[in-house]
Amino acid sequence: GAGTWGERAVMASRLLPSLRVVSLDATGTLIHIPRGVGYHYYKAALRFGIPSRLGAEERVRLGIAECAAEQEGDEMCQKHGDAFSTGFFKAWREMCREHPNFGAGTRERNEVPSEAAGASMGATRSQNGAELDRREMAGSIAASEWWLRVVKRSFAHTGWPMQVTEPVIDGGLFEWVWDEFASNRTWSLYDDAVPFLQEAKRRGLHVMVLSNNDERLDETLQSVGLRSLLDHVVVSRSERAEKPSKEIFEAALSRYSGIQPNDILHVGDDVTRDYHGALGAGWHACLLRRTPDGGSIRGVPRAHTFASLQELGSSLFSRT
């Protein structure tokens, strides 16, 4: 309403004089998977012929046509994809609990100082340093291994028999999924992403992405055509710290010289990780609510909540 727009005008007038950097979350803010994760997992199952390896009773139980690999169209793939999405998010949550931050852990969780990694490169190490290295290694796994376990568990949680799926996953399906999920064959830009970034750059602002993600995000942003508009892509796995921790915001800030926390606006779709995380680091913050029921959130002023980057851009940039 008019009151909200008035409040946004006040916010913009206070923010813009000192604003030098716009930081954005990735998934749900700039990019998304239009069909959902599960759709692509089911397409992978078809591509690698898993349905044909199942027994008749298993196909009936899963609701899969006998000739699914050749005959199932998009509508049926979407139906099975919805079931896979449920299995995927269960697997995702499990892995996040067991091996946080895509297998890298965090500085706080592993209790290993950043110097330990550098110490492990030396020719000699103290006994204490070696113990720190062992603790770090025990708490960390490679990103590819982390995602391999997610894929296997996703199939299991969707009800597909592991004795059938696991050899196929290990035999090529995972590598295919790994590549697909770093590309524009799976990810798409929101329509307002490029115009918002271009306008920010046109006005002399620095722009970066700050995401709880692994290192493939850089490749994904290249694939969808965004990387050239960004100064930096800061991901949690590389920094061994996740939003909303202050450490990852400080790591992102360190990418710029002469920039203070109060010079940065962070935009994201998660109220805890993005909005309150940024405020806790001394940054400005706005919450993006792209969902149809998007609206006010407890603890977030309505003037700080936007339905799109286009709406945010109109509030920020039309007043200068």
Side-chain angles (χ1 to χ4, degrees):
T4 299
W5 281 106
E7 293 168 0
R8 287 176 174 172
V10 172
M11 179 197 71
S13 66
R14 291 174 177 172
L15 173 62
L16 283 171
S18 65
L19 183 61
R20 299 177 65 187
V21 179
V22 177
S23 164
L24 299 105
D25 177 45
T27 305
T29 299
L30 294 170
I31 59 175
H32 65 127
I33 301 175
R35 293 184 179 275
V37 173
Y39 173 89
H40 296 280
Y41 274 42
Y42 186 65
K43 293 289 278 188
L46 297 185
R47 181 182 181 92
F48 284 84
I50 294 180
S52 65
R53 299 167 184 253
L54 300 174
E57 291 185 4
E58 289 171 332
R59 286 199 295 270
V60 170
R61 178 176 59 83
L62 293 168
I64 300 170
E66 185 171 356
C67 299
E70 292 82 21
Q71 295 182 8
E72 289 204 346
D74 254 15
E75 183 178 346
M76 190 59 73
C77 288
Q78 194 65 61
K79 172 188 171 184
H80 290 296
D82 291 343
F84 259 108
S85 289
T86 300
F88 166 81
F89 284 111
K90 183 177 181 181
W92 165 277
R93 288 190 294 268
E94 289 175 352
M95 287 299 294
C96 287
R97 287 193 301 268
E98 295 171 23
H99 298 280
N101 199 7
F102 305 92
T106 61
R107 299 170 196 166
E108 303 91 337
R109 181 97 170 209
N110 285 353
E111 299 179 346
V112 179
S114 58
E115 291 80 8
S120 69
M121 302 294 289
T124 60
R125 297 199 306 265
S126 68
Q127 184 177 353
N128 184 53
E131 175 62 23
L132 286 174
D133 291 342
R134 283 194 294 273
R135 287 163 58 194
E136 180 177 30
M137 291 172 63
S140 302
I141 59 175
S144 57
E145 173 63 23
W146 195 91
W147 281 109
L148 175 61
R149 296 184 194 183
V150 168
V151 171
K152 288 182 176 180
R153 293 186 188 194
S154 297
F155 275 85
H157 291 327
T158 309
W160 293 53
M162 287 303 294
Q163 67 269 25
V164 175
T165 61
E166 190 159 338
V168 180
I169 294 169
D170 288 333
L173 184 149
F174 173 70
E175 286 79 3
W176 187 81
V177 168
W178 175 264
D179 290 339
E180 288 293 295
F181 275 81
S183 79
N184 59 10
R185 295 182 297 275
T186 299
W187 294 94
S188 295
L189 288 170
Y190 286 109
D191 291 341
D192 54 6
V194 169
F196 179 86
L197 296 184
Q198 288 177 333
E199 182 63 16
K201 300 282 282 186
R202 190 182 74 81
R203 292 172 181 269
L205 298 174
H206 297 289
V207 181
M208 68 175 168
V209 159
L210 175 56
S211 175
N212 285 357
N213 219 310
D214 64 45
E215 293 84 354
R216 286 182 304 155
L217 180 60
D218 200 282
E219 180 182 347
T220 301
L221 295 174
Q222 290 273 10
S223 184
V224 298
L226 274 190
R227 187 61 183 88
S228 62
L229 293 172
L230 303 167
D231 301 326
H232 304 287
V233 176
V234 181
V235 295
S236 61
R237 181 178 165 85
S238 295
E239 301 301 330
R240 294 190 59 243
E242 294 182 291
K243 296 179 294 182
S245 73
K246 191 173 182 179
E247 285 79 6
I248 192 168
F249 288 94
E250 291 175 342
L253 174 64
S254 72
R255 299 301 203 275
Y256 296 100
S257 175
I259 300 290
Q260 301 301 314
N262 195 51
D263 299 333
I264 307 178
L265 169 67
H266 181 69
V267 183
D269 66 321
D270 189 284
V271 65
T272 300
R273 296 183 182 92
D274 293 306
Y275 184 78
H276 289 300
L279 293 180
W283 297 15
H284 299 282
C286 288
L287 182 66
L288 205 60
R289 296 278 288 163
R290 291 189 182 275
T291 57
D293 60 344
S296 60
I297 297 290
R298 179 178 294 182
V300 181
R302 187 67 185 87
H304 294 182
T305 305
F306 296 84
S308 65
L309 289 175
Q310 181 180 13
E311 187 176 74
L312 174 60
S314 296
S315 179
L316 279 180
F317 302 137
S318 67
R319 305 177 191 283
T320 60

